[in-house]
Amino acid sequence: MKIHNSQIMKIIEITASLALAAALAAGCCKPQAAEFNNSISSPDGLLTVSVGLAEGGAPVYQLCRDGKTVVAQSRLGFELTDGTKLCNGFTITDVAYGSKDEVWHPVWGEERDIRNHYNEMTVTFEQMPESSIKPQSGVSVTDPEYTGDPGNSSGKGAVMCVRFRVFDDGLGFRYEFPQKNKLRYFNIKEELTEFAMAGDHTAWWISGDYDTQEFNYSRTRLSEIRATSESMRLQNASTTGFSPTGVQTALQMKTDDGLYINLHEAAVINYPTANLDLDDKRLVFRTWLTPDAEGVKGRLQAPCVSPWRTVQVCDDARKVLASRLILNLNEPCAIEDVSWIHPVKYMGVWWEMITGRTQWCYTWDLPSVQLGVTDYSTLKPHGQHGANNANVRRYIDFAAANGFDALLIEGWNEGWEDWFGCQKDYVFDFVTPYPDFDLPALNKYAHEKGIRLVMHHETSSSTVNYERHMEAAYELMNRYGYDAVKSGYVGNIIPYGEHHYSQPIINHYQYAIEQAAKHHVMVNAHEAVRPTGICRTWPNLIGNESAMGNEYRVLINPGHTCILPFTRLQGGPMDYTPGIFEQDMSITAPGQHGKMRHTIGNQLGLYVTFYSPLQMAADLPDNYERFPDAFQFIKDVAVDWEKSIYLEAEPGKYIVTARKPRIETLNSGRLAGKSGAYEFVFKDGKEHDVWFVGGVCGEHAHEAKVALDFLTPGVRYEATLYADGPDADYESAPQSYTITRSVVTSADTLTVQMARSGGFGLSLRSL
Amino acid sequence: MKIHNSQIMKIIEITASLALAAALAAGCCKPQAAEFNNSISSPDGLLTVSVGLAEGGAPVYQLCRDGKTVVAQSRLGFELTDGTKLCNGFTITDVAYGSKDEVWHPVWGEERDIRNHYNEMTVTFEQMPESSIKPQSGVSVTDPEYTGDPGNSSGKGAVMCVRFRVFDDGLGFRYEFPQKNKLRYFNIKEELTEFAMAGDHTAWWISGDYDTQEFNYSRTRLSEIRATSESMRLQNASTTGFSPTGVQTALQMKTDDGLYINLHEAAVINYPTANLDLDDKRLVFRTWLTPDAEGVKGRLQAPCVSPWRTVQVCDDARKVLASRLILNLNEPCAIEDVSWIHPVKYMGVWWEMITGRTQWCYTWDLPSVQLGVTDYSTLKPHGQHGANNANVRRYIDFAAANGFDALLIEGWNEGWEDWFGCQKDYVFDFVTPYPDFDLPALNKYAHEKGIRLVMHHETSSSTVNYERHMEAAYELMNRYGYDAVKSGYVGNIIPYGEHHYSQPIINHYQYAIEQAAKHHVMVNAHEAVRPTGICRTWPNLIGNESAMGNEYRVLINPGHTCILPFTRLQGGPMDYTPGIFEQDMSITAPGQHGKMRHTIGNQLGLYVTFYSPLQMAADLPDNYERFPDAFQFIKDVAVDWEKSIYLEAEPGKYIVTARKPRIETLNSGRLAGKSGAYEFVFKDGKEHDVWFVGGVCGEHAHEAKVALDFLTPGVRYEATLYADGPDADYESAPQSYTITRSVVTSADTLTVQMARSGGFGLSLRSL
């Protein structure tokens, strides 16, 4: 929530390569209208950002890769609500260079070692004092309690620094407002940052919105966004579009000559979330911030920094997946003792509610309820309440028997009778169970079986109410040994007029994460803002939804899961809730209809292609019991990794990923000792060399070539392949799969057929 | 915050007098257009409310007193945001009668016994099902997490009950929405309740506003409001007018034939505050609710009730001051153990800041500060910080030596450098003292001297931030023995777009009161909503500001304090902060200028004419040391009363009040044993019969006749009169006073001259 002086005061070690950077910059694509006097290049010299002033003292930048324009001349700056324009009248008064090359270790992640390697340039733009700046406060106050002098001003004009960091895989830049400044408290009317595209690229996008990201993706040319946008929007629980050419980040694009460009942001702290709005005549994206209830798009106090604006640039789709640009631009871990944070493989009393087999609520006796007033013990239960003691015990037994760490239970607490669509403020208290949910006894039962229960805090988007009860809610969790919470933000936000992505609500999510950390609670926030790498700084944020997940069932387009790792997952892990083996809704929930569009092989592949330290086996125990051999892969697969290799990738088409489990995690006691992955790796009490490979594909079938050269040479591995069956097809035979075991070495290459919307899982264990 | 079923389910004891009521109603003033088939009269038979349906099934009421129209035919009802009109199409399906006559005892107050005596009529208005009611939710939802059936509806049409209670001194009525109802969750576009005045009455009013009541009063005819309003508005820290004919409640009026009519409301819980807007052609007031950030004027869930709309009607101004209508309409005390609640006579390190002699803030080194980041120990103090250890000790010494109970200290905590006007969210943490304020040591020092320190929580109107820190803030208070807090709400509200009087913020104030009660903390909330009698239910709410108080210094018009008891104080006590002996600002704070417009006698009178269980001696110790003989009255006067008698009263002109201290309170240990009032009553170890009398007057001098017939006959009393001097005048000789001692009995009448904006204090103690 707070922006620390240390964040902008931090002195970057200046190590080397300044001369190199300047030399490389000279060979870059030609500047356009402006004079770009200041440039810096990536460590490999391919990517160069150039910065200067256009006519009228307007700050601009451009980005080139190997002589090709990635972002043509684009403006920088802001317009403030008081009429101040921070987009012209500037001179450049300082340019500072630096660089960094370090390796850091995430608490959990796709790899143990992450290299953070960049060159940096910070450009100071300064307006003359009294130029276009209006006074900060024109309030004439007569109430005598307001006589305090707020302090001297510095005599400086408006100062805006822009810090550029150029990595081999992309650019990050952010605005910084130092304390010595005409600007003290200032409100953003518009952020003017632009991204001028050099061509009518292909893009994978979802429509811009202030409240939801839960849409199917479109793949179109930029020029086709306007015509497609409306038809791709769903009427979700809270939906607020703003423009037919508005799109969300991370936005994945591909140029006609094969460059992958991805626009996103990093470290959105105390600032609204950005969408992008496309000027589709000029193909220029402008930053479109989420307004608050008064229409203000950000309230800042100097000294402060903006989030990083990012332009990831890769010449291979696999490099997009391997990029750690967003994480690298976030601050290091802020939690000193991280011993309580651990990956989680879990099940849930949840899918049966999502599908309508059971209910979150307890009774239909009353048209509305009042917490603390309604006496549930006097009401007639409707008999379809999912979170009842017997049912939960059944899930605990199943989860324990199959090597899971945890079990989520939704609908356990009073208030679900009228929680949705009423904008009810005092909707849940987060501590009072329904009469048929014996919270202490169920936790005791679960703990005896090596299972942790996962708490559920649906807020109904009343953040005011959630904050009032948060401390007691976390205390209840501590008392009974819950160490993770799934929070939810369904519906329109209270405070009224705010949005899921406006600054005050961004601050709420951050507040919830930080308060949870104090209680050693891990957070998996659904319907909250899409992540921007904050999990590096706050690794107790182990998951987010913020995209259309499996719960959308029959609405999900094939190929969806081949897009999300390029877009949504760039900012952090997603609780996609994979593992749905029964596609036919009428079987899972009698009376429902429709079929999900994926094969069982596809669902297995997701455990590897979708990185998350929190992985669910989302289907019902009944459904898993029907496919015990396929379920074995879910039992075996790990959720935290030493190393990841992206074998094949193309947005929307296919992804094949190989990952090596992080043995340190399995051994650390941070996971239950009996976890399935531990059992798999430590078979017969001996540590084996293990890899997992997963593949998914989109609307079209795909033949994956899995070269096993990542295995240790000379070692023989038992390979178990869970693949789509020969006749598998998401429409005609979604449950067709074959399981084959073989012995392989690093010299082998496996050919795996993936059906339409299919996939596979592959486990490899040294003999 | 919650509306309890019990509130509307409560069965009123039906005792008697129904036939009487009906009989009396028959003789009332003639109904107008509508058919008023249902009437109920006050216990004394003088006041009659009649209720019926006008054309189109529109609910209407009228109010008469002794044959004269007080409120002519006026409509009832609502318009909802979904287009539903709850103002026509109704039939009356039930009329229920009841009555009550009880005596209850407030925890503190103007008298120990309060009689609650009324007749009641509840009229049920019902629309036909599917008539004008639109569906409650038209949301089409595809996100599968929202499948819960919110419950069955009852099959009833919209049902709106109106409960009327008629007391001898006025009418209260409120809307009640039962659970069996087409209405489940519904949002108010406009409350349509009207008050049609029967003449162009004289009114004492302040301009309507959503954020402040801190204006001088005007006295005009109703028809003159429009022309006067704008000139009487001040630009306060947060000011939002809505209409040139908007006025606030309590609104005091007087008819040409001498009837005093007062419009207000009682028990505003989970509902926005009402202003009134005058149709000055028809002389009809309509209820004008405060909108929230989305423009909604109230969000309700059935079952629920509205606040009471009140029409106080008295034939003598003294009866207005004696009326307990607002308290009687509130619910009984909700706090079981009230032993920790006690009246407080206090001083403060405050006036020196208000006058500019010292500062709330600590340094001028930085243009803005960041809590938790800014290290105050490294900053240069400006040397004018009022809340420093030495200064606070000096106040503690003075307060202890003069029989006070408590000392308020403002500006003790980090953040005052930029607290105002920036809409800064994280502005205070309420727990971190400045380097020169040793909180534990000062509390220890104070407690050793029998003084409690009063905590200060200025929120800068960031209610979000206050709620985040409230628990820790109250815990700090508990840890160090603070048992009272002055909270402040200066500036524009955060959440953005909300108002001081909108429903979410009303709920915040209530939340703060209830959380404080859990911590045994008493609350004195400044700039919060004006009270509506909630202190009956929550007697830890011992004070509010919510009007222009003494801190406005030279801006206060003479006569102001002769109006407030008729208006602002109707809802509950005001922390007016009286006792300013030094009117000349340049003496209190060198460099300041201007003179306050009152005499010292006036300030003394306020301790009796202004009822509050929390009374301040607001001036500096230095100033009191210059007038030790006059200061003696402040030391002696009590703050909690057995009985009060209103001897003379006329709005804006004069008030003379006699009060007998509540010995029970002085003896209970709820006040420090050494309090000045205790010393006065128990002189020489013997309990004396004691009365205090106070008088204040307005722009014109007034000769008060104080008949002492309230004294015990046959007993001799020592009378000490602190009166304006013969030459006293607020402009020419504000510090002229005379103190005379005499022996009196109940047969005596004292004649006391009050100067312009003057007054007097009189203590009477049996010999």
Side-chain angles (χ1 to χ4, degrees), chain A residues 374-657:
Chain A
T374 301
D375 181 357
Y376 280 87
S377 70
T378 66
L379 301 177
K380 196 183 82 186
H382 53 44
Q384 301 174 41
H385 181 224
N388 67 73
N389 292 321
N391 197 35
V392 171
R393 278 197 165 82
R394 194 171 64 85
Y395 272 86
I396 291 172
D397 292 343
F398 185 88
N402 290 284
F404 287 87
D405 308 309
L407 176 70
L408 166 74
I409 305 127
E410 297 205 354
W412 66 275
N413 58 326
E414 290 186 2
W416 288 90
E417 284 68 24
D418 58 357
W419 74 284
F420 171 65
C422 305
Q423 278 208 286
K424 184 180 178 181
D425 188 1
Y426 186 29
V427 55
F428 293 112
D429 71 3
F430 312 99
V431 296
T432 308
Y434 277 128
D436 58 351
F437 185 85
D438 186 340
L439 188 145
L442 289 170
N443 273 283
K444 185 164 178 288
Y445 185 77
H447 294 171
E448 284 167 3
K449 299 214 162 193
I451 296 289
R452 293 261 210 172
L453 300 190
V454 176
M455 175 51 75
H456 184 228
H457 290 168
E458 173 55 51
T459 68
S460 195
S461 289
S462 175
T463 66
V464 175
N465 179 60
Y466 189 32
E467 292 193 12
R468 284 180 178 175
H469 296 88
M470 193 177 277
E471 178 68 17
Y474 288 146
E475 275 174 10
L476 180 86
M477 291 178 62
N478 288 159
R479 196 152 62 248
Y480 290 103
Y482 291 88
D483 67 353
V485 61
K486 173 185 171 181
S487 56
Y489 294 89
V490 172
N492 292 329
I493 292 285
I494 303 178
Y496 305 114
E498 293 296 342
H499 294 290
H500 282 71
Y501 308 148
S502 59
Q503 184 182 12
I505 308 307
I506 298 301
N507 289 351
H508 163 79
Y509 305 133
Q510 188 64 27
Y511 178 75
I513 293 165
E514 296 185 18
Q515 294 303 108
K518 288 182 189 165
H519 287 273
H520 288 195
V521 163
M522 300 180 287
V523 174
N524 167 27
H526 281 225
E527 298 93 16
V529 68
R530 79 283 190 289
T532 55
I534 285 164
C535 58
R536 177 182 177 185
T537 313
W538 297 94
N540 66 317
L541 178 61
I542 55 169
N544 274 116
E545 186 184 38
S546 310
M548 179 184 263
N550 239 345
E551 65 177 8
Y552 275 80
R553 304 185 305 279
V554 303
L555 296 174
I556 303 167
N557 287 344
H560 187 59
T561 55
C562 297
I563 300 171
L564 289 171
F566 291 92
T567 54
R568 163 64 183 78
L569 271 67
Q570 288 291 316
M574 176 176 178
D575 186 25
Y576 185 79
T577 63
I580 302 301
F581 281 9
E582 182 49 72
Q583 295 86 353
D584 186 338
M585 291 296 98
S586 71
I587 292 174
T588 298
Q592 303 293 320
H593 53 83
K595 292 184 181 176
M596 294 176 72
R597 293 182 276 179
H598 63 251
T599 68
I600 285 180
N602 170 279
Q603 294 291 292
L604 297 180
L606 289 174
Y607 288 91
V608 187
T609 59
F610 252 64
Y611 172 65
S612 175
L614 179 82
Q615 282 287 25
M616 189 180 203
D619 211 338
L620 310 185
D622 324 8
N623 289 336
Y624 289 133
E625 281 166 352
R626 292 160 51 209
F627 308 98
D629 52 353
F631 186 50
Q632 187 63 44
F633 183 78
I634 300 178
K635 292 164 68 172
D636 295 341
V637 72
V639 289
D640 193 31
W641 310 102
E642 180 74 16
K643 199 173 172 189
S644 294
I645 300 172
Y646 307 91
L647 300 171
E648 294 188 347
E650 184 61 21
K653 292 190 171 169
Y654 50 80
I655 295 173
V656 180
T657 305

Side-chain angles (χ1 to χ4, degrees), chain A residues 272-328:
Chain A
T273 294
N275 284 274
L276 297 171
D277 193 33
L278 179 67
D279 176 340
D280 51 0
K281 293 212 177 76
R282 298 191 301 133
L283 301 178
V284 173
F285 286 107
R286 61 184 284 205
T287 300
W288 188 282
L289 300 177
T290 307
D292 68 23
E294 292 186 322
V296 175
K297 294 185 165 183
R299 298 174 193 251
L300 303 184
Q301 172 193 355
C304 60
V305 299
S306 77
W308 295 93
R309 306 286 160 228
T310 63
V311 186
Q312 188 196 62
V313 191
C314 300
D315 57 4
D316 186 317
R318 294 173 298 181
K319 292 183 184 172
V320 176
L321 303 184
S323 172
R324 306 292 174 247
L325 179 69
I326 301 295
L327 289 177
N328 277 327

Side-chain angles (χ1 to χ4, degrees), chain B residues 293-334:
Chain B
E294 292 186 321
V296 175
K297 292 184 166 183
R299 298 174 193 252
L300 303 183
Q301 172 193 355
C304 61
V305 300
S306 77
W308 295 93
R309 307 284 161 230
T310 63
V311 187
Q312 189 196 60
V313 192
C314 301
D315 58 4
D316 186 317
R318 294 173 299 181
K319 292 183 183 172
V320 177
L321 303 183
S323 171
R324 305 290 176 250
L325 180 68
I326 301 294
L327 288 178
N328 276 328
L329 287 167
N330 274 268
E331 295 295 308
C333 183

Side-chain angles (χ1 to χ4, degrees), chain A residues 3 140 143-146 150 184-185 214 235 301-302 367-370 417-418 467-468 490 551-553, chain B residues 3 140 143-146 150 184-185 214 235 301-302 367-370 418 424 467-468 490 551-553:
Chain A
I3 295 167
S140 156
D143 185 332
E145 201 140 8
Y146 330 126
R184 193 168 68 99
Y185 288 90
E214 302 187 9
Q235 185 63 48
Q301 172 193 355
S368 71
V369 296
Q370 293 177 291
E417 284 68 24
D418 58 357
E467 292 193 12
R468 284 180 178 175
V490 172
E551 65 177 8
Y552 275 80
R553 304 185 305 279
Chain B
I3 295 167
S140 155
D143 186 330
E145 201 139 9
Y146 329 127
R184 193 168 67 101
Y185 287 89
E214 302 187 8
Q235 184 63 47
Q301 172 193 355
S368 72
V369 296
Q370 293 176 291
D418 58 357
K424 184 179 178 180
E467 291 193 12
R468 285 181 178 174
V490 172
E551 65 177 8
Y552 275 79
R553 304 187 301 281

